[in-house]
Amino acid sequence: MIITKIKKALSLGLLLLLLPLLFFFGRSFLGSGEKLPGKSTEAASEEMSSAGEMEEGGIHLSAEAARNIGLQVEEVMVRTIEEVMTFTGEIAPQPDQEVFVTSRISGKIERVYVSLGEPVKQGQLLAEIRSLEFENLQVELFRELTNLDLLHIDRERIKNLVEKKIAASKDLAKVEADHKKVEGEIDGLKNKLLLLGLNEAEVEGLIEKKRFIPVLPLLAPISGQVVERDITIGGAVDPQAKMFHIINLSGVLVEGDIPEDREGMIRKGQEVRVRVSTYPDQVFTGRINYIADVVNPEKRTIHLWSAVANPERKLKPGMFARVSVITKKGNEVVAVPIRALLEEGMERFVFVQNGEEFIRQTVALGVRNDQYVEVTEGLMPGDQVVVRGNQQLMLAQMSGGTR
C-alpha cells in the first residue's frame, strides 16, 4: 500500500517536470516563423479576388476580373428563329476576281514597282519589260507610217495627172490599193501593240509623235492583293510565264454540297450564314448565287455557290466553313444565343448577371437554329446572360464545390 502511494507520487512529480518543457518547445516551434508549403493567406485572398468569390446563390466577380476573362453578356430577347440547313463548305475567290498576270512577249525585267502582299488598283503599273520584239514592232510601225505618208503624196499626184489626162486611171487604182494595204498593215501592228498591253491612248500617241516607248508597261488588270510575285529585276521573261498572282477578296464564294433530296429546300437568292473556326464569334452573310444543274453521281449531292461579302478580307481561299441556309422563317420566341448555353449531365443552364453577381439558371429549351435557341422556361426578356466567359464561371463554380 505504501509502495503504491510512493509510485503515484513519483509519477505526479515527473509529469509536473515535463509540462514546462513541453510548453517551452511547443511555443518555440509555433513562433519560429516556419510555414507549411503552399500559398499564403494573402496570396490565396488575392487569387480569389481576381477569379471571383463563391457566394450563396451565385458567383461574385469584380469588374477587373470580368475584363480579365473577356466576359460578355447579351440581353434575352424575343426573336424569330428560322429553320436552317447546315453543311460544310470551302472558301474560294470569285472567278473574275483572280488573275495571273503574264507577259505576252519575251524580254527582260527592267523595273518592278510592287511587292508581295501589296494592295494594287486596276491599271496600276506593276513592272516594266525591255523587249527587242517590242522595239521591232515599233520600228515596223514607223516604217509603215512613212510608207503611208509617201503613198498619200503619190496618190494625190497621180490623181491630179489623171484629172489632166496625163496618167491612166489604172495607175491611180494601183496607188489606192497600195494605200489601203499599208493602212491594213498599220491596223494590224496597232492591234499587236494593244495585245501586248498598251492602251489606245498610248498607241495613238506613238503614231502621232513617232517616238519610241523604250519599255513595255505591265499593268494590273484588276484591283486586289498581290499574293504571288515571281519576278526579279534583270530576270528573263517568257511569254505566258506567270509573273504576278492578284486576288480581290472583297467578296468571295463559299462552295459546298447538299444531299440531292434536299434540293427542294433551296433556291437562288436564299440568305446564308457562314462561320469559320478562325473567327468563331463572327457571322458572315451572303446569298446563294448558283445551284448546279447536275447531281454528283458518286456522292448523290448537288453543288452550291454562295456569294459572301468580305470587306475586311478575313475569309481566305481554302478555309473550311460551316454554311447555314435559311430555309423557312419561324415564330417569335424568347431566345438566347447558343453560345450562352452550358450543359452538365442532363441539365441545360446559363449564367444570368445581377450586378457583379452571376447566378446559374437552369433552362428548358425549344427549337433552335445555327445562332439562337428558344427558352421555354427559366428566363424572361431583358435578362442578361453570359455569352463569353461562361465556361470560366462554370469552372469556378465547380471548384467552389457548390451550385
Side-chain angles (χ1 to χ4, degrees), residues 257-388:
D257 297 318
I258 63 166
E260 62 174 318
D261 58 1
R262 296 191 179 183
E263 184 188 7
M265 301 171 63
I266 60 170
R267 64 186 183 279
K268 186 177 179 180
Q270 266 178 308
E271 184 180 347
V272 298
R273 293 194 283 256
V274 178
R275 293 175 178 81
V276 293
S277 59
T278 311
Y279 306 102
D281 296 334
Q282 186 167 358
V283 178
F284 304 86
T285 59
R287 293 191 180 276
I288 296 174
N289 66 347
Y290 182 65
I291 303 169
D293 294 318
V294 294
V295 175
N296 185 310
E298 296 178 357
K299 298 180 180 179
R300 310 309 305 174
T301 56
I302 297 173
H303 205 66
L304 301 181
W305 288 264
S306 300
V308 178
N310 186 34
E312 298 178 0
R313 302 198 311 276
K314 290 183 176 180
L315 299 177
K316 313 292 185 186
M319 279 183 172
F320 288 113
R322 293 293 294 168
V323 185
S324 299
V325 182
I326 300 172
T327 58
K328 184 179 179 182
K329 293 292 184 182
N331 298 321
E332 290 191 342
V333 295
V334 177
V336 296
I338 287 178
R339 56 197 179 122
L341 197 63
L342 296 169
E343 299 182 4
E344 186 178 3
M346 299 297 293
E347 182 189 9
R348 307 291 183 269
F349 62 94
V350 297
F351 280 100
V352 180
Q353 183 181 23
N354 183 14
E356 292 189 349
E357 189 177 6
F358 297 86
I359 301 169
R360 176 169 170 160
Q361 176 64 51
T362 301
V363 292
L365 306 177
V367 297
R368 70 170 66 196
N369 61 13
D370 59 310
Q371 291 183 301
Y372 299 97
V373 57
E374 178 188 6
V375 177
T376 56
E377 292 181 16
L379 293 175
M380 294 289 290
D383 287 343
Q384 300 290 324
V385 294
V386 179
V387 295
R388 185 174 181 182

Side-chain angles (χ1 to χ4, degrees), residues 21-95:
L21 293 174
L22 290 172
F23 177 79
F24 175 78
F25 285 110
R27 183 167 179 171
S28 298
F29 175 76
L30 293 172
S32 63
E34 296 180 7
K35 296 182 180 179
L36 293 175
K39 297 178 181 178
S40 66
T41 305
E42 291 81 7
S45 176
E46 290 176 3
E47 183 174 305
M48 178 63 74
S49 175
S50 63
E53 297 176 357
M54 291 297 304
E55 292 186 357
E56 185 177 356
I59 300 173
H60 182 83
L61 204 64
S62 67
E64 181 181 357
R67 285 193 300 271
N68 290 340
I69 64 172
L71 188 136
Q72 292 180 2
V73 297
E74 193 168 318
E75 184 178 349
V76 177
M77 299 176 63
V78 175
R79 301 178 184 273
T80 300
I81 296 186
E82 314 96 336
E83 293 183 14
V84 297
M85 176 174 59
T86 301
F87 57 92
T88 301
E90 185 175 349
I91 309 299
Q94 296 271 10

Side-chain angles (χ1 to χ4, degrees), residues 4 10 19 37 45 63 67 103 106 110-111 119-120 126 128 130 173 183 188 242 246 265 289 308 318 352 363 381 395:
T4 303
L10 289 173
L19 282 174
S45 176
R67 285 193 300 271
S103 171
S106 298
E110 187 79 6
R111 293 191 67 181
V120 295
L126 303 177
E128 290 176 335
R130 187 172 292 277
E183 283 183 332
K242 295 176 183 177
I246 301 174
M265 301 171 63
N289 66 347
V308 178
V352 180
V363 292
L395 291 174

